[in-house]
Amino acid sequence: MTAPELIAHLRTLHNPANVAGQRRFGITPKTEQLGISITILRPLARPHRKNHALAAELWASGIHEARILAAHIDDPAQVTRTQIDAWARSFDSWDICDQTCGHLFDRTPFAIAKARQWSARRDEFVKRAGFVLMASLAVHAKNLPDDTFLGFLPLIRRESTDDRNFVRKAVNWALRQIGKRNPRLRNAAIAEATTIAKLDSRPARWIAKDALRELRAF
């Protein structure tokens, strides 16, 4: 299917009730939203995997679900630095951020550098993307050395005082996933969370308490 054909098909799946439901869960993109679940989008992506040109056309449409589809279709080997930055700047909801980082960006050669760089950004969803990348790399990048993740821990502590909901949840997610990677990183993450818990910051204390509860039970 071509991009126009896929977009036309997506529009036939428009579900206003799902749009309302998604918005109750904080999925409130500024772009056109069709209310199509990820369980429907994944099978649509499967026949078109690693079609970089198609992914670019779908993203350019501006339709929320077409962009999620693009993230599942694109070829990480063909993603450029220009593209990864442009797409990240256009993130306007937590789900497009998480789907794109967890299914595409974490498989690019720039993932580690962007995790570090974006973690310091002011924009809410670009900053979230930095920590989603850390969490995704902890799960998917089996061959990365522990030192990569140990290097993320000071960045997690630095940003743990950000009180924005979608940032603090991603910071917490990164800390927990790093700690679940192996025993050495678990001990390091617990030590970092213990330090974060002592900061004079409500979001930092929440991040630390939630992470410690899971990591100590893991």
Side-chain angles (χ1 to χ4, degrees):
M1 295 174 75
T2 65
E5 289 170 339
L6 276 170
I7 291 167
H9 180 60
L10 290 176
R11 287 205 165 103
T12 69
L13 302 174
H14 180 214
N15 188 324
N18 280 357
V19 170
Q22 289 173 351
R23 289 184 172 272
R24 286 194 294 272
F25 283 93
I27 300 173
T28 56
K30 298 174 184 177
T31 55
E32 182 180 354
Q33 185 176 3
L34 300 175
I36 306 169
S37 73
I38 190 63
T39 57
I40 293 173
L41 292 172
R42 283 197 193 104
L44 287 177
R46 200 167 293 126
H48 307 287
R49 290 274 164 80
K50 296 193 175 181
N51 189 329
H52 180 65
L54 178 60
E57 287 187 76
L58 290 170
W59 192 275
S61 74
I63 300 168
H64 185 68
E65 287 77 5
R67 287 184 163 182
I68 292 176
L69 200 57
H72 284 261
I73 284 173
D74 208 349
D75 180 3
Q78 296 186 66
V79 172
T80 65
R81 288 183 182 274
T82 299
Q83 177 188 342
I84 202 171
D85 283 325
W87 284 25
R89 284 194 301 271
S90 67
F91 288 161
D92 57 1
S93 70
W94 64 264
D95 66 324
I96 190 66
C97 172
D98 295 5
Q99 290 292 327
T100 307
C101 289
H103 292 277
L104 179 64
F105 287 176
D106 65 334
R107 293 159 172 81
T108 68
F110 324 117
I112 296 170
K114 291 302 175 183
R116 292 171 177 154
Q117 180 184 346
W118 291 345
S119 71
R121 292 289 180 81
R122 179 60 191 165
D123 181 276
E124 183 175 14
F125 291 114
V126 177
K127 177 171 281 192
R128 179 182 174 89
F131 293 102
V132 174
L133 277 177
M134 295 179 196
S136 298
L137 287 167
V139 174
H140 298 145
K142 305 299 185 184
N143 295 325
L144 283 181
D146 286 356
D147 284 351
T148 298
F149 299 98
L150 292 172
F152 289 153
L153 294 178
L155 308 182
I156 288 171
R157 186 196 320 165
R158 185 192 69 199
E159 303 302 333
S160 64
T161 59
D162 194 315
D163 63 357
R164 291 174 294 177
N165 186 47
F166 295 124
V167 174
R168 69 184 176 92
K169 286 187 174 181
V171 173
N172 169 266
W173 186 13
L175 182 58
R176 289 185 291 108
Q177 291 305 133
I178 289 170
K180 290 190 286 187
R181 189 172 167 90
N182 62 45
R184 181 190 180 200
L185 289 174
R186 176 176 174 271
N187 289 336
I190 288 173
E192 193 65 59
T194 302
T195 299
I196 291 170
K198 298 174 183 176
L199 298 177
D200 185 18
S201 163
R202 182 178 294 179
R205 289 192 296 271
W206 177 85
I207 287 166
K209 181 180 179 181
D210 186 74
L212 286 170
R213 180 173 60 248
E214 182 167 339
L215 293 174
R216 284 172 174 163
F218 186 68

